[in-house]
Amino acid sequence: MASLVARPVTHRLLEFGATAVFLGYAVGFQRRVAFASETSEDRLVILAGLLCGYLVADLISGTAHWMGDRFWNESTPILGPNFIAPFREHHVDPQAMVAHGTLELVGNTAVFAFPGLAAAYYLLDFESGSGWALFNAGLLLSTMLGVVATNIFHRWAHMDQPPSFARILQRTGLVLTKQHHARHHTGNFDRAYCITTGWMDRLLDALGIWDRMERVLGRDPR
Ligand SMILES: [Zn+2]
Ligand SMILES: [Zn+2]
């Protein structure tokens, strides 16, 4: 999500730098994973890690969205204008994000994601060839990529005419679909918080996880 408020040039430069560095590490990470996988078993383990990471990305998107919708407000220091306002503005004017550029959609997330990816790049022992290292590599890579791409997928779900490759991804269910995300906007904004793929919503909503968490945290669920 990106704010409707104009971003200062310095912030745009930060977003651009963070996105470029993130993409650089993602490519390097992917190359090291590819070199480290030698057998079909290795590739299966990496695939399992990629799948789990994509689920984790969806869960992170849902958790961040839930917190942005349900806690604090736009005037909360630091968090308010940068994190809370975009979520609240999106409920009032869901189509506004369709006009946002890609950098605006991914930049803020990349600022937070690139240090994690960089740390994993240097700390993970890919070359050991251990299944655990390969699984973690796949998991971290798809978690980070999924999280950073979330607002692009979210934007596609609000577009009347998404790009053709986006429509293919939506048809395969690999990214958030318009129909699924409509459950959030046509309801009371109290369900279907996950906006990477929406895969985790079925479980989270069926178990009433968000309401339970709000009770635990001392807030009355709607
Ligand atoms: Zn939306
Ligand atoms: Zn929302």
Side-chain angles (χ1 to χ4, degrees), residues 1 65 86-87 89-100 105 150-163 166 170 175-186 189 192 194-195:
M1 209 96 48
H65 185 179
F87 282 109
E89 287 164 354
H90 180 62
H91 290 174
V92 177
D93 186 3
Q95 290 304 308
M97 74 178 306
V98 171
H100 290 161
L105 293 172
T150 288
N151 275 333
I152 294 176
F153 301 163
H154 185 190
R155 178 172 176 259
W156 288 344
H158 281 285
M159 293 174 81
D160 292 329
Q161 291 289 326
Q170 287 175 336
V175 299
L176 185 70
T177 64
K178 198 179 189 73
Q179 294 78 4
H180 180 86
H181 187 50
R183 294 179 60 232
H184 184 72
H185 284 272
T186 56
F189 304 112
C194 297
I195 48 175

